[in-house]
Amino acid sequence: MDYTITWREDRDTKTARRLTIAGSSAALATMAILTLAMLPFRGDLSIATTALVLVVPVVVGVVIGGFPAGVISVIGGFLVYDFFFIPPYLTLEVGASENWVALGVYAVIMVPVARVVASMNTARAQARQRAAQIRQLFELSALLVEDKPLEELLTVIVTALRDVFDAHQVALLLPRNDDLEIVASAGAPLTEDDRRRLQPSPGRLASLDAERPDGTNPFGIALVAAGRPVGMLTVSGTEITGRQREPLLLFANQIALAVERAQLREHALRAGLTEEVERLARTLVAAVSHDLRAPLASIKASSSILADPQLSKGLDPHAQHDLAVLVDTQVDRLAVLVTNLLDMTRVQAGMLQPRSGITRLHDLVDTVLADLPVGRHSPPVLDLPDDLPLIDVDVVLIARVLTNLLENAIRHSPKDSPITIAARRADPTTITVSVTDHGPGVSPDRRGEIFGLFMRRQGDSGSGLGLAIAKTFVDAHRQRIWVEDAPGGGARFCFTLPVAAPLRERS
């Protein structure tokens, strides 16, 4: 015999035994109370009246403990009836023949009464249980309608069914690589024997829709949606009655539809994600191809002239110097592009983890300006108060932020217009750094999207990565970055940095 059936029978037997004991005890206690109440008046009570009163303990026993407790109550009532209320008293002798008739009628009538009351009690209990199961199934149906991830949905299904049918074990199997795999279970932990027992025989997947609960234990219920099997539900350690089969099969259809809907939603999400990745890849390739082609073409043309003796001998030293400067400038441009691409790769790979360190903003700005390629602009104007507090940042990341903002300002500023780097104490915990140019500025309707991937300002020759990377690095420090109008025209890009805690707080 299957161990789940044995477990169920043992549990039911213990429960029935406890109810029988409780019902019998309640019946005998009630009988004792009624006997004590009637003894002073037994001379005035008829035998029929006493028999009617002793019906009460039998009903109490049946209601609490079922028919076995009712039988014990009838036997106890028979003895009490004879011992205390039929002359001669306090003996089991019956005496007159009419007394035998009274005892016989009591025994004959009370046993069927106990059976009827027990049947009614059982019917009421089954009706309450069925109503509770239907209510729980409806509640579970409402949960299936909700937009839940597939893994969470499967856990909800097996847990709810385990509670509804009081099963020893409920498992849900879904197709995986031409086989059925247990993806969720509730109740007793699944052993290796359980897994082998629940797995259908080879070739059963194609005939799932033919399997229906037939009272066997465990049994499987096919989950079929639109004529296509989507899985199997198995229930162990309980017996599904005829009245429970129809709502269970109906609910199995709902489970199949919910599982199929969740699977389709996940497939749609994966397809959408794949499409978005492909779109970004196409955009990246287009942007990088354009940004690589221009400097490479300039480098190739200049280096070809310098490397060809026939072409270079006709150039004066000044022209040769201009070509060399052009090559150097375009190499710097390529280096910036490659650096931004590497930074973007770190972001997309989830490897962006700031390594904070204490530093002075003045030192960080000096480092950035020293590495900034020399171009057509004069050095930026610095507006950095000497009393600025120390900052607690990842120096490499924030240097990239400032570099990208400066390169963005250089691209959009007239040749002779100044670029300003300023900083102010915003509050006790942050300072605000800004890079101001006097170019065309950013229109208010584009300020929300300017930090997106591959977003470019009008006339921008960049890759559209610099501002996106700057925002990502600032966000990694849990700070803010934004753009606003500059006084006198242009754009001012601002971002906040955290102030280093005092030494006593850091210790």
Side-chain angles (χ1 to χ4, degrees):
M1 181 179 292
D2 193 278
Y3 77 91
T4 57
I5 302 177
T6 304
W7 169 85
R8 177 76 183 209
E9 290 177 348
D10 290 343
R11 189 189 63 175
D12 292 344
T13 301
K14 292 179 180 179
T15 302
R17 186 182 299 116
R18 286 197 299 268
L19 290 176
T20 300
I21 294 174
S24 302
S25 301
L28 295 177
T30 305
M31 196 174 301
I33 294 173
L34 293 176
T35 300
L36 293 175
M38 291 188 298
L39 279 178
F41 310 101
R42 65 182 174 184
D44 300 325
L45 297 175
S46 66
I47 294 177
T49 301
T50 305
L52 290 175
V53 172
L54 292 178
V55 170
V56 175
V58 177
V59 174
V60 170
V62 172
V63 169
I64 297 177
F67 183 69
V71 172
I72 295 175
S73 303
V74 170
I75 295 173
F78 182 91
L79 296 175
V80 169
Y81 191 21
D82 183 15
F83 194 77
F84 291 103
F85 298 102
I86 292 181
Y89 300 127
L90 303 180
T91 67
L92 294 179
E93 295 182 11
V94 177
S97 58
E98 61 268 19
N99 294 337
W100 280 106
V101 174
L103 285 173
V105 170
Y106 179 83
V108 171
I109 295 298
M110 291 313 300
V111 172
V113 167
R115 172 61 69 184
V116 170
V117 173
S119 299
M120 293 176 59
N121 194 40
T122 302
R124 283 196 300 269
Q126 291 176 348
R128 287 194 299 269
Q129 182 182 15
R130 178 174 172 79
Q133 289 178 345
I134 292 176
R135 182 173 61 255
Q136 289 175 306
L137 289 176
F138 274 119
E139 291 174 355
L140 186 53
S141 298
L143 290 176
L144 294 180
V145 177
E146 296 180 4
D147 191 16
K148 291 182 176 294
L150 180 59
E151 183 177 352
E152 181 180 351
L153 177 65
L154 299 181
T155 302
V156 169
I157 288 173
V158 295
T159 303
L161 290 181
R162 160 66 174 88
D163 295 337
V164 168
F165 295 103
D166 195 20
H168 180 66
Q169 189 180 87
V170 175
L172 201 152
L173 298 84
L174 295 181
R176 292 287 190 275
N177 300 323
D178 297 329
D179 200 358
L180 284 179
E181 177 183 336
I182 300 172
V183 294
S185 64
L190 289 170
T191 64
E192 289 302 321
D193 290 339
D194 293 332
R195 295 179 183 276
R196 286 192 296 270
R197 178 169 46 85
L198 294 177
Q199 284 286 350
S201 302
R204 288 278 295 281
L205 183 59
S207 60
L208 277 177
D209 56 340
E211 190 158 349
R212 290 291 184 267
D214 55 4
T216 60
N217 208 312
F219 60 80
I221 306 170
L223 303 179
V224 181
R228 183 178 65 87
V230 298
M232 174 184 286
L233 183 70
T234 63
V235 182
S236 306
T238 189
E239 181 179 355
I240 303 299
T241 63
R243 293 181 178 180
Q244 293 173 328
R245 290 179 185 176
E246 290 185 5
L248 182 57
L249 291 175
L250 178 61
F251 187 67
N253 292 332
Q254 292 181 326
I255 294 176
L257 293 174
V259 170
E260 184 182 48
R261 185 180 66 249
Q263 290 175 335
L264 291 175
R265 182 174 62 250
E266 289 192 354
H267 291 161
L269 289 175
R270 285 196 292 269
L273 180 60
T274 301
E275 182 179 352
E276 180 65 16
V277 170
E278 291 177 352
R279 185 190 68 80
L280 289 175
R282 289 193 299 269
T283 306
L284 178 62
V285 169
V288 171
S289 298
H290 173 271
D291 293 334
L292 287 175
R293 188 180 298 114
L296 284 176
S298 299
I299 293 172
K300 177 61 178 176
S302 301
S303 61
S304 297
I305 293 175
L306 293 174
D308 190 337
Q310 297 297 326
L311 296 176
S312 61
K313 70 179 180 179
L315 297 176
D316 57 63
H318 181 72
Q320 292 181 355
H321 176 266
D322 288 343
L323 290 176
V325 170
L326 178 60
V327 171
D328 184 68
T329 302
Q330 296 302 327
V331 168
D332 289 338
R333 182 179 174 185
L334 285 177
V336 171
L337 177 60
V338 171
T339 300
N340 280 338
L341 290 175
L342 292 176
D343 289 341
M344 202 67 239
T345 302
R346 290 176 61 197
V347 172
Q348 292 178 337
M351 299 170 58
L352 183 60
Q353 297 294 335
R355 297 181 179 179
S356 298
I358 310 301
T359 188
R360 294 176 68 248
L361 180 62
H362 301 75
D363 297 337
L364 189 148
V365 171
D366 291 341
T367 301
V368 170
L369 294 181
D371 295 336
L372 197 66
V374 178
R376 57 197 177 111
H377 278 78
S378 58
V381 177
L382 300 183
D383 183 10
L384 305 176
D386 293 333
D387 60 350
L388 285 176
L390 297 175
I391 54 176
D392 188 5
V393 298
D394 186 318
V395 175
V396 175
L397 297 187
I398 299 304
R400 288 301 309 155
V401 172
L402 192 55
T403 299
N404 286 0
L405 293 181
L406 285 171
E407 292 173 349
N408 177 76
I410 291 172
R411 285 197 305 271
H412 293 90
S413 300
K415 180 178 180 180
D416 298 326
S417 64
I419 296 173
T420 304
I421 302 175
R424 292 291 183 271
R425 184 77 175 258
D427 55 57
T429 60
T430 58
I431 64 173
T432 300
V433 182
S434 63
V435 176
T436 305
D437 63 64
H438 294 284
V442 181
S443 59
D445 60 326
R446 295 206 61 201
R447 292 176 185 174
E449 63 182 30
I450 195 65
F451 295 100
L453 279 175
F454 311 116
M455 293 296 178
R456 307 185 188 191
R457 296 158 69 181
Q458 187 174 3
D460 193 351
S461 60
S463 64
L465 292 175
L467 294 181
I469 292 172
K471 184 180 188 310
T472 302
F473 289 176
V474 171
D475 289 344
H477 287 78
R478 299 183 179 179
Q479 300 298 312
R480 296 171 51 241
I481 185 170
W482 69 95
V483 60
E484 58 189 30
D485 290 331
R492 173 183 288 166
F493 286 84
C494 308
F495 61 97
T496 60
L497 295 176
V499 172
L503 290 176
R504 62 178 180 273
E505 295 184 15
R506 296 200 299 269
S507 59

